[in-house]
Amino acid sequence: MIVEARRQFELAWSLAELHLAALVDEDFLWEPASLCWTVRQDEAGVWRPDWAETEPDPIPVPTIAWLSWHIDYWWSAAIAALSDRMGRDWSEVAWAGDGPAAVARLRALAAGWRNVLADISERDLAAAATFPWGADTERTVADTVLWVTVELTKNVSEIGQLRLIRAAGR
């Protein structure tokens, strides 16, 4: 199944590349709605995401910058978890600061994920995994590997939809 999981990741990543390659700087901080999550510079000039520990209702519409930060956060955590390292808390992950840097980070994460996938054997897939599920579940490395592809596909689709809506309104 690891061969198929690698193929599915590459399919999802091809969708990511389609949208990432078409983004322009103005796309990243464009706010598509009045209720919106984005990234903002703090007093030190570090780009921090809007965040709530409990998902608000209604859910704010994210900017592309926020989505690229979100991918950076969960994907680096998944790579750390499957590489037996501690992941960072969301508050420790800053946005890259501009569109090209954010895209470069995502491409670096894709390369890192390929390395993780290359090191996983069929036997490894059955091992217990707690990310992103928590310690009280019976999830496996296979669950995490498959979740990454689903989460990436979802987030990249959101980026693509925002990009298309902004482009159509120009």
Side-chain angles (χ1 to χ4, degrees), residues 21-91:
L23 291 171
V24 297
D25 283 338
E26 295 78 21
D27 290 335
F28 286 86
L29 293 172
W30 174 69
E31 295 188 6
S34 58
L35 180 59
C36 188
W37 269 358
T38 191
V39 294
R40 304 170 200 284
Q41 282 186 299
D42 65 15
E43 301 80 32
V46 177
W47 290 89
R48 302 286 179 197
D50 293 333
W51 185 263
E53 290 299 327
T54 303
E55 193 166 74
D57 184 18
I59 299 169
V61 178
T63 62
I64 292 173
W66 191 93
L67 287 164
S68 66
W69 164 83
H70 181 61
I71 296 168
D72 189 349
Y73 161 60
W74 64 254
W75 210 356
S76 60
I79 290 169
L82 292 185
S83 301
D84 295 324
R85 297 189 322 264
M86 288 293 295
R88 298 174 292 168
D89 184 71
W90 71 267
S91 63

Side-chain angles (χ1 to χ4, degrees), residues 1-6 119-127 142:
M1 187 196 94
I2 191 60
V3 171
E4 292 82 0
R6 290 175 187 137
D119 289 343
I120 293 176
S121 69
E122 288 295 329
R123 192 173 3 180
D124 294 334
L125 291 173

Side-chain angles (χ1 to χ4, degrees), residues 85-147:
R85 297 189 322 264
M86 288 293 295
R88 298 174 292 168
D89 184 71
W90 71 267
S91 63
E92 299 173 299
V93 180
W95 185 58
D98 63 40
V103 169
R105 265 199 201 171
L106 298 183
R107 288 179 174 143
L109 286 165
W113 187 245
R114 283 186 188 98
N115 291 337
V116 168
L117 292 177
D119 289 343
I120 293 176
S121 69
E122 288 295 329
R123 192 173 3 180
D124 294 334
L125 291 173
T130 59
F131 183 85
W133 329 105
D136 297 334
T137 66
E138 295 181 22
R139 300 290 185 135
T140 64
V141 169
D143 289 309
T144 300
V145 166
L146 297 172
W147 172 83

